[in-house]
Amino acid sequence: MTTTKKTKTVKWGDEPKLGWVEAMYLPAIVSGVATALKHAFSGKTTTRQYPEVEPTIPPNYRGVHRLNRDEAGRVKCVACYMCQTACPANCIEIIAAPAPKDDPKWKDRDKYPETFTIDELRCIYCGMCEEACPVDAIELTSIYDLTGLTRQEMIYDKEKLLSVYDQTVNSGNDPIRTNRGALGPASLEAPTAKQGPPPPGQGRHG
Amino acid sequence: MFEYLKEIWPTLWPTLAAIGVILAFVPFLGLYMTFIERKLAAYVQDRLGPNRVGPFGLFHAIADAIKLFLKEQTIPAHVYKLLYFIAPTFSLMTAMFALVVMPFGPVPTEYSSGFRYIVAPGIDIGILMMIAISSLSAYGIILGGWASNNKYSLYGAIRSCAQFISYEIPLGLSIIGIIAAAGSLNIEQIVAAQGGPFWNWNMFWQPVGLLVFFTSALAETNRLPFDLPECEQELVGGFHTEYGGIKFVLFFLAEYTHVITVSFLTSLLFFGGWHFPGLTGPVDSSLGGMLLRTFVLVFKVGMVVSFIMLLRWALPRFRFDQLMGLAWKGLIPLGLVNLLCVAVVLTFDLPKHLLSFTAIFIFVGSLISARQLQFTINRPRSAGRPSIAQTTSEVTI
């Protein structure tokens, strides 16, 4: 088999030659000790005293979930199963129920989630659920210190997720993805096939 | 029996008291040296260090000790049981035994009754005994490495064996100069010979001896620039890989006891012991003078201990061939030259501070070249920093 002759240049590097002064090790030791002493007496520390001083979490951090409420204080979720379908870790479980038609408060809604559970231990905090949600009902907050003593208490149900909303909505550190107050574009005027797609810039994804 | 005890009691109780002081303080000091070391490491690395348990984190050491003592005693199935248990105790025993002839406070050269700051005063082979005993500590490490029945442990033990044998020689050579000057092997006599003005301290006229002694003593303690027997990156844990809990504590305590021994020896042999400008004459037995001298000695020891700890965070580890090369090609010739110089000075009754010029040469010279080195390192790349590849050659593949 003949191959085209290929030339490669390899650069050989040699260790720099040590003079006799450097070979005594002493100058290097002195300069090393000087560096160590300089740092020891500089008085600067980079340590953050964690439980007392909490870090500032950026608003695009993906922490514990919350279920948003709408203006009437109801759960904003419309039980469309989009998040449950999108979830790669299968940690969301929704059971939908028809909205109580007799109640005038629920007149504008067809469905609502009867139960909404998220297994926080199974979740990988990828944010696909909030991306899938058409009404911005589920969001990831910047709560990062999630702890629990049992697996059972790490399975968050609807009430707990709503309480996370109550706890974080006024903390001033809302997720930057949030659409506080307004429902998502899908819930406004459902664009049908007849009407065609929404004009550019108005749809959820531009 | 009781009569005999009554007869020897006046000489017995000071010895027992001194043993008690050593047995009480050395483990305590070893415990707190871990804490000081962690703090110092943190400061060197711009951190805060342990500060949670107790004021300034002072109880971290105690919490550590409690944790290690309460740990489950696991014995790996593949070890030689008897040697496995003997090794840590042997290691600590030899380390503590070396402290017998070590004055931990001012000791007058003539024998006196009452409490003394030494277990066995007036031993005329003092320094020799100390060197002999402390070289026994290699056995503890070798036993541990062998009994663990684990190739990494054995590697660590073999390395430590080679290291001990090599560094014993420059250690002895550097001490001979001191012994020749003092005319005695007795540590109290050696300290007494350094009395007078502070430039009589051995460090000022035998700086090469100090350099050789401190380097080889550091190698004997297995501390960081020379910690090849237990280097984590190559050997897991070295000779104590298979040890945990209280057995590990014993090894650890032995290492810190060695550090204490070396620091005491350096202070006593080279830094003038309990002498200090203004505190030069023979030891008086008043309580104030005793306490002051003890404080001076302990202060010097503390400085040496801090320096040893600082070196750990300032210097990288030696490679094994560099380690051996340093002992056989560097320190042994240097020690011999130093011994020759001291012998010439003593034989012809020359002023002994002729040798101080070597101190000026070593310390000032290395300071200047360290400054130069810093400039070379910190010079920006564009200013023609010498690159690693100084020679290039092209090879056709």
Side-chain angles (χ1 to χ4, degrees):
Chain A
M1 196 174 86
T2 56
T3 54
T4 53
K5 199 178 176 191
K6 204 173 158 189
T7 56
K8 252 191 194 170
T9 56
V10 178
K11 284 188 177 173
W12 294 89
D14 289 335
E15 282 181 24
K17 292 266 188 306
L18 286 184
W20 67 272
V21 179
E22 283 147 354
M24 274 171 63
Y25 296 121
L26 279 178
I29 289 172
V30 170
S31 79
V33 169
T35 307
L37 277 177
K38 203 170 71 190
H39 280 273
F41 290 105
S42 70
K44 270 186 290 184
T45 51
T46 52
T47 309
R48 180 189 287 133
Q49 302 265 39
Y50 164 61
E52 291 89 27
V53 183
E54 290 199 16
T56 47
I57 300 295
N60 61 346
Y61 186 86
R62 297 196 297 263
V64 179
H65 311 75
R66 73 182 193 193
L67 268 184
N68 290 347
R69 294 180 190 275
D70 60 9
E71 302 88 338
R74 300 171 302 180
V75 59
K76 214 183 211 182
C77 174
V78 293
C80 66
Y81 291 92
M82 295 276 266
C83 51
Q84 187 177 340
T85 314
C87 180
N90 288 333
C91 65
I92 304 177
E93 204 181 328
I94 304 170
I95 296 175
K101 278 294 166 197
D102 313 334
D103 195 340
K105 269 169 72 182
W106 288 89
K107 246 164 67 181
D108 54 338
R109 296 272 288 275
D110 288 336
K111 281 202 302 183
Y112 82 107
E114 193 171 28
T115 66
F116 193 112
T117 52
I118 299 181
D119 190 345
E120 297 285 345
L121 290 178
R122 182 174 271 213
C123 175
I124 58 170
Y125 301 96
C126 63
M128 303 261 275
C129 48
E130 58 176 358
E131 216 167 284
C133 184
V135 293
D136 286 341
I138 186 167
E139 272 174 342
L140 297 178
T141 62
S142 54
I143 295 174
Y144 58 92
D145 47 354
L146 176 68
T147 54
L149 295 176
T150 58
R151 287 174 187 280
Q152 203 53 47
E153 75 185 72
M154 298 300 280
I155 297 175
Y156 278 29
D157 58 4
K158 191 171 78 175
E159 281 66 40
K160 192 135 185 204
L161 289 165
L162 283 169
S163 76
V164 175
Y165 172 79
D166 297 337
Q167 180 192 330
T168 54
V169 70
N170 289 322
S171 68
N173 202 15
D174 260 342
I176 54 166
R177 306 167 293 264
T178 193
N179 244 340
R180 291 178 68 181
L183 286 174
S187 67
L188 294 174
E189 191 69 40
T192 56
K194 236 187 275 172
Q195 286 167 326
Q202 277 191 13
R204 182 178 163 83
H205 296 294
Chain B
M1 180 67 201
F2 186 70
E3 286 299 310
Y4 176 66
L5 207 64
K6 212 167 156 186
E7 194 182 310
I8 63 165
W9 183 246
T11 52
L12 187 63
W13 78 261
T15 312
L16 288 180
I19 290 175
V21 167
I22 284 190
L23 279 185
F25 271 95
V26 168
F28 181 76
L29 268 179
L31 201 63
Y32 266 89
M33 273 162 75
T34 61
F35 171 74
I36 294 168
E37 174 145 37
R38 284 175 70 188
K39 269 291 197 204
L40 201 78
Y43 290 147
V44 168
Q45 295 163 359
D46 292 342
R47 294 184 284 116
L48 283 176
N51 61 353
R52 291 286 146 180
V53 189
F56 308 109
L58 274 173
F59 299 153
H60 266 278
I62 294 164
D64 269 354
I66 292 171
K67 182 204 85 175
L68 283 166
F69 274 82
L70 294 181
K71 262 191 165 179
E72 186 190 353
Q73 295 295 312
T74 47
I75 303 160
H78 54 78
V79 299
Y80 301 126
K81 293 259 165 25
L82 181 66
L83 295 182
Y84 178 78
F85 280 110
I86 287 177
T89 42
F90 194 82
S91 198
L92 184 63
M93 191 189 76
T94 50
M96 299 279 262
F97 196 26
L99 292 169
V100 163
V101 290
M102 170 99 76
F104 49 89
V107 179
T109 42
E110 64 270 7
Y111 177 78
S112 67
S113 58
F115 181 74
R116 299 173 301 243
Y117 289 86
I118 187 170
V119 175
I123 290 199
D124 282 336
I125 53 157
I127 186 79
L128 209 57
M129 175 176 166
M130 183 169 262
I131 301 293
I133 298 291
S134 63
S135 51
L136 275 182
S137 65
Y139 283 102
I141 292 175
I142 291 167
L143 276 182
W146 178 258
S148 294
N149 207 356
N150 166 343
K151 58 189 170 191
Y152 290 116
S153 302
L154 192 57
Y155 271 132
I158 290 169
R159 283 182 180 189
S160 99
C161 186
Q163 190 176 322
F164 265 85
I165 290 171
S166 303
Y167 279 88
E168 287 280 294
I169 302 165
L171 191 73
L173 282 177
S174 60
I175 290 175
I176 291 175
I178 305 266
I179 295 167
S184 171
L185 284 163
N186 189 333
I187 295 180
E188 295 104 275
Q189 301 278 5
I190 291 174
V191 176
Q194 299 178 61
F198 73 90
W199 52 83
N200 271 3
W201 296 358
N202 283 329
M203 65 173 286
F204 288 113
W205 70 283
Q206 290 195 29
V208 183
L210 173 63
L211 195 68
V212 174
F213 174 81
F214 190 70
T215 314
S216 13
L218 207 60
E220 298 270 307
T221 61
N222 293 328
R223 295 279 306 175
L224 192 87
F226 306 106
D227 73 336
L228 283 106
E230 46 184 298
C231 51
E232 298 90 357
Q233 291 85 353
E234 299 165 30
L235 295 181
V236 195
F239 60 89
H240 54 60
T241 305
E242 304 284 357
Y243 287 89
I246 194 161
K247 296 191 285 300
F248 172 74
V249 171
L250 294 186
F251 270 130
F252 209 64
L253 210 55
E255 188 190 314
Y256 277 103
T257 312
H258 273 294
V259 174
I260 294 173
T261 316
V262 163
S263 309
F264 263 107
L265 263 189
T266 316
S267 314
L268 290 167
L269 298 184
F270 286 94
F271 297 157
W274 47 83
H275 296 301
F276 202 70
L279 263 185
T280 48
V283 178
D284 55 5
S285 50
S286 70
L287 186 67
M290 284 298 217
L291 284 182
L292 207 57
R293 286 189 169 84
T294 311
F295 176 76
V296 166
L297 180 61
V298 169
F299 176 75
K300 283 176 183 174
V301 169
M303 294 308 280
V304 179
V305 167
S306 319
F307 185 66
I308 290 176
M309 285 177 177
L310 192 70
L311 275 184
R312 174 169 183 177
W313 305 105
L315 301 182
R317 183 183 293 126
F318 277 82
R319 210 170 51 209
F320 198 71
D321 61 316
Q322 289 171 336
L323 182 86
M324 287 292 136
L326 182 67
W328 291 94
K329 292 190 274 184
L331 293 180
I332 292 178
L334 210 59
L336 281 171
V337 168
N338 177 52
L339 185 57
L340 189 72
C341 293
V342 173
V344 166
V345 164
L346 290 177
T347 311
F348 296 108
D349 254 346
L350 301 171
K352 62 183 180 180
H353 285 91
L354 271 182
L355 289 179
S356 304
F357 288 111
T358 52
I360 297 165
F361 178 72
I362 289 178
F363 292 120
V364 178
S366 58
L367 267 179
I368 291 170
S369 43
R371 193 95 191 106
Q372 208 66 35
L373 197 69
Q374 289 267 310
F375 278 130
T376 322
I377 291 167
N378 296 335
R379 197 191 302 157
R381 216 163 255 282
S382 57
R385 179 179 177 178
S387 66
I388 295 291
Q390 285 180 329
T391 59
T392 55
S393 54
E394 295 192 353
V395 181
T396 307
I397 297 169

